[in-house]
């Protein structure tokens, strides 16, 4: 039996799709057929998978939607509207759209290592994931903090102009980033970049 909204999932997922993936696919199909702004963009768009990430100290859950990297620029154009509409359909969840990237294992041979594209290195993929999570806010500075016990903490500073629209989502973003990348992260807002003065959250 053909179900129209399942075409918003990749072919390999359609037969054995999870309930959450079906819900997201249905929401995308409804937006494609009924939303004025998204009607022109979503017909070419589908997702790879959808995951729910939660933490004990957070009131909201993170709904992570992974889509093919080739749709990155298409999603960027309508991401604000698409995120807002999906959050209406999934109350109590913070919707995060992430382009699915591939990491190539670093080869031992020095000559083969030169052939690995930078966009497929672990560092570039982690940076891309963070950019997707923070969009439309921009990270204006990053600092690594090395603790006495040997652990590391990535401190990311955002533009203070993005504080109102980004601050409520940062706790969920931090947990999702830690779950995907396995790195601790904290956020602050830089209110005077010229003087490198930082107003911490």
């Amino acid at each position: 039996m053909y179900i129209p909204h399942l075409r918003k999932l990749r072919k390999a997922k359609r037969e054995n799709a999870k309930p959450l993936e079906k819900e997201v696919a249905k929401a995308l199909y409804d937006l494609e057929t009924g939303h004025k702004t998204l009607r022109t963009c979503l017909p070419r768009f589908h997702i790879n998978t959808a995951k729910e990430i939660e933490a004990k100290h957070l009131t909201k859950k993170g709904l992570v939607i992974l889509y093919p990297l080739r749709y990155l620029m298409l999603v960027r154009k309508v991401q604000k509207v698409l995120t807002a509409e999906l959050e209406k359909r999934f109350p109590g969840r913070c919707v995060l759209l992430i382009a699915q990237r591939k990491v190539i294992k670093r080869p031992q041979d020095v000559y083969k290592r030169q052939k690995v594209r930078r966009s497929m290195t672990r560092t570039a993929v982690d940076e891309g994931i963070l950019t997707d999570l923070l969009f439309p806010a921009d990270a204006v500075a990053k600092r690594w903090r090395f603790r006495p016990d040997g652990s590391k903490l990535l401190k990311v500073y955002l533009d203070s102009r993005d504080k109102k629209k980004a601050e409520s989502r940062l706790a969920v973003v931090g947990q999702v980033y830690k779950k995907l990348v396995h790195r601790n992260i904290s956020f602050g807002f830089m209110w005077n970049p010229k003087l490198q003065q930082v107003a911490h959250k």
Side-chain angles (χ1 to χ4, degrees), residues 90-147:
F90 296 95
R93 298 174 187 172
C94 181
V95 176
L96 300 163
L97 297 163
I98 302 175
Q100 193 156 16
R101 297 166 173 87
K102 183 180 179 181
V103 178
I104 293 182
K105 188 177 179 181
R106 189 177 182 182
Q108 297 295 325
D109 191 346
V110 177
Y111 297 103
K112 289 182 180 178
R113 197 179 303 167
Q114 295 172 354
K115 298 178 182 178
V116 177
R117 285 189 290 176
R118 191 191 178 281
S119 60
M120 291 186 174
T121 61
R122 177 68 184 270
T123 302
V125 169
D126 290 353
E127 288 177 357
I129 290 172
L130 182 60
T131 302
D132 290 347
L133 289 171
L134 293 175
F135 187 85
D138 292 320
V140 295
K142 296 176 186 176
R143 302 285 185 272
W144 279 104
R145 182 180 178 185
F146 295 87
R147 291 169 172 165

Side-chain angles (χ1 to χ4, degrees), residues 37-38 40-41 44 67 71-83 97 135-136:
T37 307
L38 301 174
T40 57
C41 299
R44 307 192 302 275
Y67 62 90
Y71 295 130
L72 180 62
M73 298 311 296
L74 175 69
V75 172
R76 284 283 191 267
K77 293 178 183 177
V78 294
Q79 188 161 342
K80 290 182 184 178
V81 179
L82 181 58
T83 301
L97 297 163
F135 187 85

Side-chain angles (χ1 to χ4, degrees), residues 4-172:
H5 67 264
L6 287 184
R7 66 183 178 83
K8 305 310 292 180
L9 289 169
R10 65 173 181 166
K11 289 183 180 179
K13 279 279 185 179
R14 289 174 190 174
E15 292 183 5
N16 302 314
K18 296 176 183 178
L20 179 61
E21 292 171 341
K22 290 180 180 179
E23 288 178 30
V24 174
K26 182 69 167 61
L28 289 171
Y29 182 75
D30 292 342
L31 290 171
E32 179 187 321
T33 54
H35 197 277
K36 293 181 180 179
T37 307
L38 301 174
R39 189 181 298 169
T40 57
C41 299
L42 289 185
R44 307 192 302 275
F45 176 73
H46 71 267
I47 64 171
N48 289 341
T49 186
K51 301 176 182 179
E52 196 172 70
I53 295 176
E54 57 182 325
K56 293 180 180 178
H57 62 282
L58 296 178
T59 55
K60 275 190 173 184
K61 297 178 181 178
L63 177 57
V64 178
I65 300 173
L66 298 168
Y67 62 90
L69 184 60
R70 63 179 179 273
Y71 295 130
L72 180 62
M73 298 311 296
L74 175 69
V75 172
R76 284 283 191 267
K77 293 178 183 177
V78 294
Q79 188 161 342
K80 290 182 184 178
V81 179
L82 181 58
T83 301
E85 291 297 327
L86 287 173
E87 286 182 347
K88 290 177 186 176
R89 286 162 170 76
F90 296 95
R93 298 174 187 172
C94 181
V95 176
L96 300 163
L97 297 163
I98 302 175
Q100 193 156 16
R101 297 166 173 87
K102 183 180 179 181
V103 178
I104 293 182
K105 188 177 179 181
R106 189 177 182 182
Q108 297 295 325
D109 191 346
V110 177
Y111 297 103
K112 289 182 180 178
R113 197 179 303 167
Q114 295 172 354
K115 298 178 182 178
V116 177
R117 285 189 290 176
R118 191 191 178 281
S119 60
M120 291 186 174
T121 61
R122 177 68 184 270
T123 302
V125 169
D126 290 353
E127 288 177 357
I129 290 172
L130 182 60
T131 302
D132 290 347
L133 289 171
L134 293 175
F135 187 85
D138 292 320
V140 295
K142 296 176 186 176
R143 302 285 185 272
W144 279 104
R145 182 180 178 185
F146 295 87
R147 291 169 172 165
D149 61 355
S151 62
K152 294 191 296 183
L153 174 69
L154 176 61
K155 303 185 76 174
V156 178
Y157 301 112
L158 310 178
D159 196 325
S160 60
R161 290 173 291 185
D162 299 324
K163 188 171 184 178
K164 288 184 179 179
K165 58 187 178 184
E167 192 171 23
S168 61
R169 299 167 62 88
L170 291 181
V172 179

